[in-house]
Amino acid sequence: MSANDIAGGAVREEVNAEFYAWLRRMRETEPVGFDATTGLWSVFGHAEAVQIMAGPEVYGNDLSEITPPQEDYDVFFKGNIAGMDEPRHRKFRQLVSKVFSARYIAGLEEKLTAIATELLDRIGSRKRFDLAKEFATPFPVTVIADILGAPREDGPRLAKWASTVHAGEDTGVDGLTQAAEGIRLLNAYLFDLIEQRRAKPEDDLISLLIGAELEGRRLADDEIVGFVGVLLMGGISTTAALITNIVLTFDRFPEQWAEVRADRALIPQAIEEVVRLHPSFSQFLRMTRRETELGGRLIPAHSMVKVWVTSANRDATVFPDAERFDLHREGPRHIGFGQGIHYCIGAPLARLEGRIAFDLLLDRYPEYRILHEAGVGLLDTADMIGASRLPVAVTRA
């Protein structure tokens, strides 16, 4: 079984045992492997993954040289902070961080709590519902719409357009055409929103990004479009996946659900352990800027390298009894949000949303059970782990 086979198959099965077993075998026998069929290098070990993230001068994020030019994508990715290399990345991150900061995100807690509470109030006294469709997904969709200053009813449209980038599986002409159409609609929507805020600033992120300045430099409209697009891509599906992964994980350990319910101070650590075992993004790509050695293998320049985050987070040389969910785990931090200069800029927001969602679910539901017989649907992407359909039966407080 190759990395390509796994990406297209087992990662989306409801039972991921085969996927995790394959990662373990590769980690133990070939921590850095090469697939001659695809020309892709795959990295499974924690030490090798950290080496890549600590060496942006060798392992680049900017893949534009191998990306065919396309007008809609070109606009969209001008502000794609995740696809920038130094020194452009550093300057851009410093500028956007003046407004999209940890302090700004912390100030959203009251608003986010109100959104999550409203969604759970809609579920009401029902004892059976789809937690993914009725809470885990609409929560970050509404959050992002509110942050941007877009009408809440536009949230699902924004999420749909942004999700085209994760459509992933159909890389043929039809798939790329459909994705480009989604990007085109999203670009047009965001340019219009920016124009509105330039004429009449409000208390939202778009207005703050328009006004951000560092050493006399301000963001161009297409850079704002790109940055907001990254927030949409990284701030909706991944957060929904985090929430569903919390529920999926604790379904196997109901006694630990009760423990966290009794001691809410455990919530942050519980979230980190869920992200370690089930990171929303299971993999990411880098390109070598020069010939380099990694894990005893010589990798040529301009090679594509896939880092299996899920595998690195389960490396037993770093995390004792790594396959076990441990609510009280101590030691090194996982790399579920990345590491180094490309550490996820949205991680504080994801953690805040996860904490709020977890806390409210614990308040309302002393016990729950996933209705596996009703069918749990996993996300239909090659690079994400989480549920798109999650029927549950609950006991209300």
Side-chain angles (χ1 to χ4, degrees), residues 59-72:
Y59 302 94
N61 278 46
D62 185 350
L63 307 181
S64 58
E65 66 181 79
I66 62 168
T67 304
Q70 206 282 340
E71 181 180 358
D72 303 296

Side-chain angles (χ1 to χ4, degrees), residues 107 214 238 284 305:
L214 181 66
T238 54
F284 63 81
V305 181

Side-chain angles (χ1 to χ4, degrees), residues 64-267:
S64 58
E65 66 181 79
I66 62 168
T67 304
Q70 206 282 340
E71 181 180 358
D72 303 296
Y73 280 106
D74 291 347
V75 169
F76 188 74
F77 287 113
K78 283 186 179 179
N80 176 17
I81 192 172
M84 295 180 184
D85 288 336
E86 299 293 75
R88 181 175 171 235
H89 171 270
R90 181 180 66 256
K91 295 177 180 178
F92 188 86
R93 185 162 185 143
Q94 287 174 342
L95 180 51
V96 297
S97 293
K98 288 182 70 67
V99 294
F100 192 71
S101 63
R103 181 178 179 181
Y104 165 78
I105 291 167
L108 298 172
E109 182 164 358
E110 185 177 348
K111 174 186 287 190
L112 270 56
T113 301
I115 292 171
T117 300
E118 180 182 334
L119 288 168
L120 289 173
D121 285 346
R122 290 180 191 172
I123 293 170
S125 60
R126 280 186 288 144
K127 294 183 178 180
R128 295 188 174 213
F129 57 91
D130 188 324
L131 191 139
K133 293 183 178 179
E134 297 187 60
F135 179 66
T137 299
F139 179 35
V141 168
T142 307
V143 166
I144 293 294
D146 269 28
I147 288 175
L148 297 180
R152 286 189 177 184
E153 58 268 24
D154 288 351
R157 279 200 298 164
L158 293 169
K160 180 180 179 181
W161 293 334
S163 71
T164 59
V165 178
H166 290 304
E169 208 162 299
D170 184 0
T171 56
V173 173
D174 290 343
L176 293 175
T177 299
Q178 182 179 2
E181 176 63 17
I183 295 297
R184 184 180 306 117
L185 292 169
L186 178 57
N187 288 349
Y189 183 96
L190 294 176
F191 275 124
D192 183 60
L193 190 57
I194 292 168
E195 184 178 354
Q196 293 177 40
R197 293 302 179 266
R198 284 198 181 278
K200 184 182 178 182
E202 296 187 10
D203 184 22
D204 55 47
L205 185 60
I206 295 286
S207 299
L208 292 174
L209 289 169
I210 290 171
E213 182 176 347
L214 181 66
E215 298 177 352
R217 163 155 155 62
R218 290 178 179 267
L219 293 167
D221 285 3
D222 51 8
E223 290 179 313
I224 296 175
V225 166
F227 180 69
V228 170
V230 170
L231 291 183
L232 285 164
M233 290 186 298
I236 293 178
S237 296
T238 54
T239 301
L242 168 60
I243 295 169
T244 59
N245 285 336
I246 290 171
V247 174
L248 284 163
T249 300
F250 278 87
D251 178 60
R252 297 178 55 204
F253 306 98
E255 71 286 353
Q256 295 193 44
W257 178 266
E259 183 180 357
V260 179
R261 191 167 189 267
D263 182 3
R264 303 303 174 87
L266 292 171
I267 288 178

Side-chain angles (χ1 to χ4, degrees), residues 243-315:
I243 295 169
T244 59
N245 285 336
I246 290 171
V247 174
L248 284 163
T249 300
F250 278 87
D251 178 60
R252 297 178 55 204
F253 306 98
E255 71 286 353
Q256 295 193 44
W257 178 266
E259 183 180 357
V260 179
R261 191 167 189 267
D263 182 3
R264 303 303 174 87
L266 292 171
I267 288 178
Q269 175 57 29
I271 290 174
E272 298 305 314
E273 182 69 347
V274 169
V275 173
R276 182 187 71 83
L277 278 173
H278 306 290
S280 297
F281 273 121
S282 64
Q283 57 189 264
F284 63 81
L285 288 172
R286 294 289 188 268
M287 176 185 283
T288 54
R289 299 305 179 205
R290 60 174 183 263
E291 184 180 79
T292 187
E293 183 178 338
L294 182 69
R297 304 291 299 271
L298 194 63
I299 303 179
H302 306 293
S303 294
M304 295 301 299
V305 181
K306 178 182 288 186
V307 179
W308 289 86
V309 177
T310 309
S311 177
N313 277 346
R314 291 169 178 250
D315 193 327

